[in-house]
């Protein structure tokens, strides 16, 4: 493995001049740490000791002024700048594919202002999600943004990658939560987008920067909506015969104006692995939330002991296992609901939702499955990586469509992938006009090189199916590197507008080059 | 100024090839009609007998392909195109300052489809807002967008100017309603944004086109989120001793999580003016809220709101004041215009956005700055849990200054007072020509970026030149 040289000594000196000696590092450890994210393929490369990309140098600016100077320097030297939060993106968005300066924002981590009257909070971009939420909780508020990466992602990263949290049906996605921000343009100029601009005119540059994944500038300080910490929580779960019946309930809940904080429907395979009684033997969450392989094995051992005994190597027979599981049991689909907030309103919404689900033929399973989900809701992100060894791999695909296209989308993606992987799904992030589907696939190949190929093929098939039906290729994981081709296929001629934004703002292509299909 | 395209026979023939003889107009009577808008500035000029700058041609497309071909012709001749809806801009958004071709979208006025499962309507950009809402109502749906010029504005105009309606609190602004659109770029290419409830695929391109005031693309078809229509509304009205007490009551219900469709808090001047012709005998600071949607929900929310208003020191005035306001909300705007057409005076509305912590300061400073020189009335509207909009209506007679000077003075004083109180002047009626400078200031360095972007996408400055400061 050839390791590229670090940044030139003169460059490092200039950077030290801007941010001070303590805030620059060209050490191997730091360069490596900031040259990976949670993109499964890059994880595989790192796990096997063959990382593909290296940042030249890492800097930790402490304010927007320093970032402005760093960007100006990078432009002068024509070297890339890659804004870096906590590196939990799953699409390779923060990988330094052309080397360059990794601009790590984690030292800009302060809460600057909390206004009780306005229910707004202003904080620096590098604050960690969980720290931010806990600070707000301590003061009696919540941000309402709970991506499962909350322990290892930053506020600025959320905005840059268009993040969505688990309770987004009530609190909105990051683009709804962020009211305004300060950012450094690719020309180094610092600009403010007013939090009052929710009422304002003209093209909305806030919505251009959000989701730009570091290609259009660096967000440094954000003003967000916050909410009083919920005084009440109500949990309930329902079992529906199949996915169409379950998604119909979700649709009508949203279209009747109810706003559950959490609403997730597990498809039949996923529900089966949860177990029918709130899952005593499992973590109480669906497989798409939690991926211990043993759980599939355990379930199969109970339902079809012969299959496991006969299997030479269990992981090689994913699709067979899935088909077998589906033949063996018809458990229906589990819908979990949680309402929170003001007690009067949460009570009203809870009761209205229960009435609606019962009317639609759902079987009330009580609060337990929903409670268990709530307790274990972050497990998935932190217990997955074990799967990445010996040619086995797991990944998730999150797509979305209008309600009308939702079942076709579900079916097409399933048909495309199932011959190649064990696949299950849940439906979450519902809207009045549509919903997202979160697929989890597990598969394996004889070695990691073959695994990488197989992994890419599965993505290609899933994305083609999505585009065919008319869904979006990403609901909330973003584009980064891994979905760049699909971004271009999705937007077609519209990419000319995006390129014009990029070329006019960053003619030297300094900001995070090579991402988002640019 | 005579346009360099006046009487250009070759261009005229080319346009007739695309649109047919009937849908290309060029007589001065017609071009003059399209040169009018209702901005205070242009009204002052008209009153003074000045002729506004007019376009050279008017075309009326019926299909997106025609718009695309028009762009190519404009590119060839380097002639401006002015996308045109119902002409109710208050900021010179479609003023033909460099001549050009008015592209009147009003023949593209059909509702194309209603997806009653996903609750999405697809309509052509030239449909009048009121027609769209009525057609939706007939099918059992509502869009929930009720801007002041509801009866004389088009869907395309709403989207182009990033319109906000009075039911903003519940339904959001037009930018929140747009799911996707079809638009024609200056090079003639027809593009579509993707239809999905939400995406993390880079920037939101819809939001780059919404508010672009015809300077980046011409929108031809728009898909919007709609809602189930419940005709029954629940009204409450409360009188407050102090304006600030009413504002505090509004903040409380929103922090609790209630979502009224509309909220208006009139100050005593506004109450006196609005209800002058009614038999309701109302006075003082009047807070009115309307709850709509599913009956059990709307009823529950209106009861909780009434309880909170009462606890905050309000005295109930029953349902009638709010019902009366609802019936007269649109006529009032147009009733103001004849008064304005009297020579020697001005009349304008100024909107200031303010976070809750600054609402009282903004109100006090604006009244102090404008209250003596202008006849002023104020209402709070479009509140969110985070702040609200204060709408100041100011009118006066000119004494020493000219009407133009007076209008300038009004805006300068308002701008200072709003900023001093912690608020920001809003360009609710669009930026157009007249707010371009303020808009550029608001955007700061980003306005330079927007200009460079415009130059990339429209290098010959064909689309609505001069608007948004571009």
């Amino acid at each position: 493995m050839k390791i590229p040289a670090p940044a030139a000594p003169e460059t490092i000196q200039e950077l030290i001049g801007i941010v001070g000696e303590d805030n620059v590092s060209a050490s191997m450890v730091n360069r490596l740490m900031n040259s990976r994210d949670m993109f499964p393929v890059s994880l595989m490369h790192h796990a096997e000791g063959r990382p593909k990309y290296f940042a030249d140098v890492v800097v930790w600016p402490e304010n927007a002024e320093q970032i402005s100077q760093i960007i100006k320097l990078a432009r002068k030297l024509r070297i890339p700048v890659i804004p870096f939060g906590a590196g939990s993106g799953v699409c390779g968005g923060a990988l330094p594919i052309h080397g360059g300066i990794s601009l790590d924002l984690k030292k800009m981590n302060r809460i600057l202002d909390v206004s009780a009257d306005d229910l707004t909070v202003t904080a620096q971009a590098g604050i960690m999600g969980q720290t931010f939420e806990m600070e707000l909780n301590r003061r009696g508020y919540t941000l309402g943004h709970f991506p499962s990466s909350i322990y290892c992602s930053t506020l600025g990263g959320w905005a840059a990658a268009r993040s969505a949290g688990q309770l987004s049906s009530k609190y909105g996605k990051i683009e709804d939560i962020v009211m305004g921000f300060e950012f450094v343009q690719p020309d180094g100029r610092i600009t403010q987008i007013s939090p009052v601009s929710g009422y304002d005119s003209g093209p909305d540059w806030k919505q251009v920067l959000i989701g730009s994944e570091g290609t259009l500038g660096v967000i440094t300080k954000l003003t967000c909506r916050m909410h009083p910490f919920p005084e009440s929580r109500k949990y309930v779960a329902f079992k529906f015969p199949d996915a169409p019946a379950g998604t119909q309930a979700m649709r009508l809940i949203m279209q009747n104006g109810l706003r559950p904080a959490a609403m997730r429907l597990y498809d039949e395979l996923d529900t089966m692995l949860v177990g029918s009684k709130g899952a005593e033997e499992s973590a109480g969450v669906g497989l798409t939330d939690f991926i211990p392989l043993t759980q599939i094995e355990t379930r199969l051992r109970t339902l079809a002991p012969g299959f496991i005994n006969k299997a030479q190597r269990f992981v090689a027979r994913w699709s067979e296992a899935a088909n077998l599981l589906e033949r063996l049991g018809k458990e229906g689909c589990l819908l979990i609901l949680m309402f929170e907030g003001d007690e009067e309103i949460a009570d009203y919404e809870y009761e209205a939702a229960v009435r609606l689900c019962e009317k639609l033929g759902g079987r009330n399973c009580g609060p337990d499955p929903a409670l268990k989900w709530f307790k274990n809701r972050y497990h998935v992100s932190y217990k997955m990586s074990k799967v990445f060894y010996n040619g086995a791999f797991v990944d998730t695909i999150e797509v979305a469509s209008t309600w009308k296209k939702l079942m076709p989308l579900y079916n097409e993606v399933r048909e495309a992938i199932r011959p190649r992987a064990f696949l299950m799904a849940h439906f979450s992030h519902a809207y009045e006009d549509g919903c997202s589907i979160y697929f989890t696939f597990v598969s394996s190949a004889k070695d990691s090189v073959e695994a990488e190929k197989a992994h890419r093929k599965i993505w290609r098939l899933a994305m083609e199916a999505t585009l065919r039906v008319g869904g979006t290729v990403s609901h909330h994981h973003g584009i980064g590197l891994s979905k760049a081709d699909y971004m271009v296929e999705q937007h077609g001629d519209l990419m000319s507008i995006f390129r014009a934004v990029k070329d006019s703002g960053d003619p030297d292509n300094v900001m995070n080059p090579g991402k988002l299909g640019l | 100024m005579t346009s360099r395209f006046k009487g250009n026979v070759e261009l005229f023939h080319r346009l007739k090839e695309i649109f047919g003889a009937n849908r290309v107009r060029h007589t001065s009577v017609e071009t003059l009609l399209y040169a009018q808008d209702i901005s205070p500035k242009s009204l002052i000029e008209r009153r003074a007998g000045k002729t506004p700058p007019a376009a050279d041609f008017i075309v009326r497309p019926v299909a997106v392909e025609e718009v695309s071909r028009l762009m190519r012709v404009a590119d060839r001749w380097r002639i401006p195109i002015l996308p045109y809806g119902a002409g109710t801009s208050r900021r010179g958004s479609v003023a033909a300052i460099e001549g050009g071709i008015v592209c009147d979208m009003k023949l593209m006025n059909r509702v194309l489809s209603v997806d009653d499962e996903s609750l999405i309507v697809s309509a052509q950009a030239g449909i009048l807002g009121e027609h769209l809402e009525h057609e939706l109502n007939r099918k059992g749906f509502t869009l929930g967008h009720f801007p002041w010029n509801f009866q004389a504005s088009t869907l395309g105009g709403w989207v182009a100017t990033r319109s906000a309606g009075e039911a903003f609190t519940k339904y959001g602004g037009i930018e929140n309603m747009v799911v996707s659109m079809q638009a024609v770029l200056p090079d003639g290419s027809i593009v579509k944004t993707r239809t999905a409830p939400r995406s993390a695929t880079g920037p939101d391109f819809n939001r780059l086109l919404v508010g672009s005031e015809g300077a980046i693309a011409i929108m031809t078809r728009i898909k919007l989120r709609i809602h189930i229509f419940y005709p029954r509304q629940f009204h409450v009205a409360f009188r407050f001793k102090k304006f600030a007490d009413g504002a505090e009551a509004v903040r409380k219900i929103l922090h609790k999580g209630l979502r009224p469709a509309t909220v208006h808090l009139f100050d005593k001047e506004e109450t006196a003016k609005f209800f002058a012709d009614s038999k309701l005998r109302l006075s003082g600071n009047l807070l009115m809220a309307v709850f709509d949607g599913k009956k059990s929900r709307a009823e529950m929310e209106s009861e909780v709101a009434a309880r909170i208003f009462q606890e905050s020191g309000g005295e109930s005035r029953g349902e009638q004041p709010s019902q009366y306001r609802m019936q007269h909300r649109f006529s009032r705007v147009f009733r103001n215009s004849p008064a304005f057409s009297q020579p020697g005076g001005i009349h304008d509305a100024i909107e200031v956005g303010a976070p809750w912590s600054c609402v009282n300061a903004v109100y006090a400073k604006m009244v102090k700055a404008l209250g003596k020189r202008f006849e002023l009335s104020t209402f709070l509207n479009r509140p969110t849990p985070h702040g609200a909009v204060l709408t100041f209506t100011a009118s006066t007679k000119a004494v020493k200054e000219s009407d133009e000077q007076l209008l300038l003075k009004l805006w300068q004083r308002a701008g200072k007072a709003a900023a001093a109180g912690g608020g920001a002047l809003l360009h609710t009626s669009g930026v157009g020509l007249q707010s371009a400078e303020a808009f550029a200031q608001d955007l700061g360095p980003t306005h330079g970026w927007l200009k460079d972007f415009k130059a990339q996408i429209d290098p010959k400055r064909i689309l609505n030149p001069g608007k948004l400061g571009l």
Side-chain angles (χ1 to χ4, degrees):
Chain A
M1 184 180 61
K2 198 176 162 294
I3 299 168
E10 312 84 73
T11 308
I12 292 174
Q13 277 314 311
E14 289 209 54
L15 288 169
I16 289 174
I18 298 170
V19 294
E21 205 157 351
D22 290 349
N23 289 336
V24 181
S25 172
S27 80
M28 199 60 207
V29 172
N30 282 320
R31 288 175 65 201
L32 256 179
M33 287 293 290
N34 280 37
S35 300
R36 49 140 289 276
D37 62 11
M38 291 289 287
F39 176 36
V41 174
S42 86
L43 279 179
M44 205 144 72
H45 292 159
H46 277 253
E48 295 177 352
R50 48 183 185 101
K52 224 170 159 181
Y53 310 114
F54 285 89
D56 305 337
V57 59
V58 181
V59 294
W60 290 269
E62 291 178 348
N63 54 53
E65 194 46 53
Q66 291 178 350
I67 294 174
S68 161
Q69 290 180 44
I70 294 164
I71 290 178
K72 283 177 185 159
L73 174 69
R75 268 188 91 155
K76 195 179 78 189
L77 302 171
R78 305 257 166 151
I79 51 175
V81 174
I82 303 101
F84 196 90
S88 61
V90 292
C91 307
L95 298 179
I97 55 172
H98 300 293
I101 301 170
S102 179
L103 189 80
D104 192 317
L105 283 121
K106 282 196 287 296
K107 285 198 178 178
M108 292 175 62
N109 60 357
R110 278 178 305 131
I111 292 176
L112 303 171
D113 180 56
V114 176
S115 169
D117 280 352
D118 304 332
L119 285 182
T120 55
V121 53
T122 302
Q124 290 180 306
I127 191 166
M128 296 293 288
Q130 181 68 6
T131 313
F132 189 31
E133 177 65 19
M134 279 164 59
E135 277 298 313
L136 289 176
N137 291 171
R138 216 166 47 77
R139 294 165 156 97
Y141 302 101
T142 177
L143 187 68
H145 192 67
F146 305 98
S148 59
S149 64
I150 191 164
Y151 297 121
C152 57
S153 53
T154 61
L155 174 60
W158 293 346
R162 240 172 222 279
S163 165
Q166 292 173 342
L167 307 189
S168 74
S169 298
K170 179 177 172 69
Y171 297 106
K173 327 291 140 178
I174 200 69
E175 67 270 26
D176 308 309
I177 293 168
V178 172
M179 298 173 73
F181 50 73
E182 173 188 79
F183 78 104
V184 186
Q185 296 192 161
D187 62 5
R189 296 212 278 174
I190 302 168
T191 185
Q192 315 284 337
I193 296 184
S194 155
V196 193
S197 70
Y199 301 110
D200 222 339
S201 300
D204 189 347
W205 225 251
K206 182 181 93 185
Q207 296 290 348
V208 173
L209 261 290
I210 292 182
S212 64
E213 301 191 20
T215 62
L216 299 178
V218 185
I219 299 169
T220 49
K221 185 171 90 182
L222 304 92
T223 298
C224 303
R225 301 172 206 285
M226 60 180 195
H227 308 264
F229 191 82
E231 61 181 32
S232 162
R233 284 200 177 110
K234 292 280 218 177
Y235 303 86
V236 68
F238 281 86
K239 193 68 84 61
F240 286 91
D242 52 23
T247 51
Q248 187 199 19
M250 293 173 81
R251 176 170 72 81
L252 293 175
I253 283 173
M254 293 307 290
Q255 292 179 352
N256 275 294
L258 306 178
R259 290 293 175 268
M263 176 158 67
R264 302 163 84 86
L265 177 78
Y266 298 94
D267 77 354
E268 288 172 76
L269 199 50
D270 208 349
T271 301
M272 197 179 314
L273 291 157
V274 181
S276 55
K277 297 187 192 76
E280 296 91 329
E281 75 270 45
S282 78
V285 292
L287 189 63
T288 52
D289 280 325
F290 188 59
I291 313 290
L293 290 182
T294 50
Q295 198 170 314
I296 303 174
E297 285 198 49
T298 312
R299 200 74 188 145
L300 272 171
R301 262 184 226 289
T302 334
L303 292 166
F307 179 82
I308 292 291
N309 296 339
K310 271 183 281 171
Q312 294 263 306
R313 188 157 173 263
F314 172 65
V315 287
R317 299 177 64 190
W318 297 117
S319 50
E320 217 180 311
N323 292 334
L324 185 65
L325 269 175
E326 274 200 340
R327 271 207 318 276
L328 287 170
K330 278 280 165 203
E331 300 225 17
C333 293
L334 184 69
L335 175 70
I336 62 165
L337 291 162
M338 192 267 278
F339 292 87
E340 69 172 33
D342 176 86
E343 193 164 8
E344 269 176 292
I345 295 172
D347 281 358
Y348 170 87
E349 295 213 347
Y350 165 81
E351 279 157 26
V354 167
R355 273 198 309 275
L356 187 62
C357 287
E358 280 169 355
K359 202 176 103 191
L360 293 169
R363 183 165 61 77
N364 195 326
C365 303
D368 285 358
L371 261 164
K372 280 190 178 148
W373 168 78
F374 192 68
K375 216 172 79 193
N376 297 304
R377 65 197 189 280
Y378 297 134
H379 282 190
V380 58
S381 302
Y382 309 97
K383 297 204 175 169
M384 260 170 70
S385 44
K386 258 186 273 176
V387 189
F388 286 91
Y389 294 93
N390 307 320
F393 56 90
V394 59
D395 202 355
T396 56
I397 300 174
E398 26 65 66
V399 292
S401 73
T402 59
W403 288 112
K404 200 172 191 166
K405 291 176 176 170
L406 194 67
M407 277 303 129
L409 177 63
Y410 174 68
N411 292 327
E412 289 260 337
V413 173
R414 262 162 57 101
E415 271 166 41
I417 297 185
R418 280 188 65 177
R420 292 161 191 271
F422 190 95
L423 181 76
M424 58 243 115
H426 68 252
F427 300 82
S428 55
H429 302 290
Y431 305 79
E432 286 192 59
D433 54 341
C435 190
S436 83
I437 313 176
Y438 196 90
F439 291 101
T440 299
F441 63 87
V442 190
S443 190
S444 60
K446 72 176 187 333
D447 56 36
S448 59
V449 177
E450 288 302 310
E452 199 174 325
K453 277 190 207 157
H455 177 262
R456 200 180 312 135
K457 180 72 186 175
I458 289 171
W459 266 100
R460 164 64 45 200
L461 291 168
M463 294 291 96
E464 277 171 1
T466 302
L467 289 165
R468 212 162 43 234
V469 179
T472 176
V473 296
S474 175
H475 175 266
H476 61 272
H477 284 172
I479 296 294
L481 190 62
S482 65
K483 285 183 242 170
D485 289 349
Y486 312 121
M487 166 103 178
V488 176
E489 284 168 47
Q490 175 108 75
H491 291 302
D493 286 346
L494 258 186
M495 282 300 283
S496 68
I497 294 188
F498 187 27
R499 290 204 181 94
V501 171
K502 172 74 173 175
D503 293 346
S504 55
D506 184 15
D508 302 327
N509 198 16
V510 165
M511 295 308 306
N512 202 10
K515 308 295 165 53
L516 288 178
L518 285 168
Chain B
M1 187 181 76
T2 314
S3 164
R4 63 204 158 96
F5 302 104
K6 202 97 219 153
N8 185 324
V9 177
E10 201 184 331
L11 179 57
F12 184 43
H13 280 299
R14 187 72 194 91
L15 292 173
K16 280 200 290 191
E17 271 171 34
I18 300 172
F19 297 96
N22 282 334
R23 291 188 285 118
V24 183
R25 314 308 257 177
H26 64 100
T27 66
S28 52
V29 172
E30 284 160 306
T31 57
L32 191 63
L33 277 172
Y34 278 87
Q36 317 288 329
D37 65 14
I38 59 167
S39 67
K41 191 162 183 288
S42 72
L43 286 172
I44 289 170
E45 286 169 359
R46 199 184 314 158
R47 215 161 50 192
K50 285 185 198 158
T51 312
D56 305 292
F57 300 98
I58 299 148
V59 298
R60 312 187 77 195
V62 293
V64 62
E65 292 76 19
E66 291 181 351
V67 177
S68 168
R69 290 170 73 193
L70 174 67
M71 290 285 203
R72 296 209 165 93
V73 169
D75 182 78
R76 153 92 176 70
W77 292 90
R78 288 182 171 250
I79 180 169
I81 298 180
L82 307 149
Y84 196 97
T88 49
S89 168
R90 297 180 62 239
R91 292 291 172 265
S93 297
V94 283
I97 47 173
E98 299 176 23
I101 305 168
V102 164
C103 182
D104 180 352
M105 301 299 290
K106 282 194 296 296
L107 290 182
M108 292 180 70
N109 60 359
R110 280 180 306 130
V111 171
L112 299 170
S113 66
V114 173
D115 174 350
D116 57 8
E117 192 180 340
S118 314
L119 299 190
I120 292 172
V121 62
S122 174
Q124 289 178 309
I127 190 169
L128 283 169
E130 189 178 26
H131 292 177
L132 173 62
E133 178 66 20
H134 287 174
E135 193 155 338
L136 287 172
N137 290 169
R138 266 203 306 278
K139 293 173 164 37
F141 302 105
T142 178
L143 179 62
H145 190 67
F146 306 99
W148 65 274
N149 57 358
F150 180 69
Q151 295 166 318
S153 52
T154 61
L155 171 58
W158 290 349
V159 177
T161 58
R162 213 168 141 187
S163 162
E166 67 168 35
F168 181 93
T169 300
K170 180 166 181 183
Y171 298 100
I174 197 76
E175 65 270 28
N176 306 111
M177 300 170 189
V178 171
V179 180
S180 64
M181 61 176 86
Q182 178 195 62
V184 184
L185 298 181
D187 67 1
S189 60
I190 299 168
V191 295
K192 273 199 288 189
T193 60
R194 169 239 358 259
T195 300
R198 194 260 184 182
S199 289
T201 54
D204 185 343
F205 300 123
N206 282 324
R207 300 295 287 270
L208 195 58
L209 296 172
V210 175
S212 62
E213 302 201 9
I216 292 169
I218 296 183
M219 293 165 235
T220 46
R221 195 168 74 197
I222 297 152
K223 286 190 183 176
L224 303 144
R225 305 192 166 89
I226 54 176
H227 311 270
I228 301 164
F229 177 57
Y230 298 90
R232 170 98 190 261
Q233 295 176 321
F234 291 82
H235 296 264
V236 298
F238 280 78
R239 188 192 165 173
F240 284 84
K241 281 211 180 71
K242 288 192 215 140
F243 190 75
D245 294 344
E248 177 62 11
V250 175
R251 190 181 70 87
K252 275 189 193 151
I253 66 162
L254 290 163
H255 280 203
K256 187 176 169 71
L258 301 184
R259 288 297 172 269
T262 68
V263 176
H264 287 82
L265 171 63
F266 286 7
D267 73 356
K268 53 184 189 300
E269 289 78 15
E270 185 72 25
T271 304
K273 206 165 74 179
F274 194 98
F275 293 98
D277 300 340
S278 85
K279 297 192 176 83
L280 292 170
R281 297 174 173 278
L282 291 159
S283 64
N285 300 295
L286 192 67
L287 170 55
M288 292 163 284
V290 183
F291 294 85
D292 68 4
K294 207 174 167 68
K295 182 174 172 272
S296 63
R297 177 62 171 263
E299 199 169 16
M300 181 272 285
E301 292 210 12
S302 68
E303 282 164 11
V304 174
R307 190 184 75 213
I308 293 174
F309 292 161
Q310 190 108 43
E311 285 164 6
S312 307
E315 281 169 52
S316 177
R317 286 286 177 272
E319 297 180 3
Q320 278 184 330
S322 178
Q323 284 165 342
Y324 178 89
R325 193 205 64 80
M326 195 58 112
Q327 277 160 20
H328 296 85
R329 58 186 169 163
F330 300 126
S331 58
R332 192 173 165 277
V333 174
F334 294 96
R335 221 170 45 205
N336 279 330
S337 359
F340 178 60
S341 64
Q342 307 289 322
I346 65 156
H347 174 97
D348 207 350
I350 295 167
E351 295 209 314
V352 181
W356 283 116
S357 54
C358 300
V359 161
N360 292 331
V362 167
Y363 179 67
K365 290 205 187 285
M366 289 287 284
V367 170
K368 196 169 168 225
L370 305 175
K372 275 197 190 131
R373 183 65 187 84
F374 300 91
E375 198 181 301
L376 191 70
S377 65
T378 309
F379 61 97
L380 178 152
N381 64 124
R382 313 206 296 275
T384 72
H386 319 287
V389 175
L390 291 168
T391 302
F392 299 88
T393 310
S395 49
T396 192
K397 294 268 175 225
V399 184
K400 276 179 286 183
E401 316 95 313
S402 70
D403 288 345
E404 282 96 336
Q405 284 167 332
L406 205 53
L407 192 64
L408 197 66
K409 182 183 267 180
L410 170 67
W411 279 89
Q412 279 170 348
R413 281 192 190 178
K416 271 188 204 150
L425 285 189
L426 304 177
H427 315 298
T428 316
S429 308
V431 174
L433 210 52
Q434 290 152 29
S435 299
E437 214 172 295
F439 174 70
Q441 260 170 30
D442 288 353
L443 254 60
T446 306
H447 193 259
W449 190 349
L450 185 59
K451 267 175 146 166
D452 293 344
F453 167 63
K454 160 82 173 174
Q456 289 246 353
I457 205 106
D458 184 13
K460 294 184 184 169
R461 284 181 83 243
I462 288 161
L463 273 178
N464 207 9
K467 314 301 154 46
L468 291 172
L470 299 174

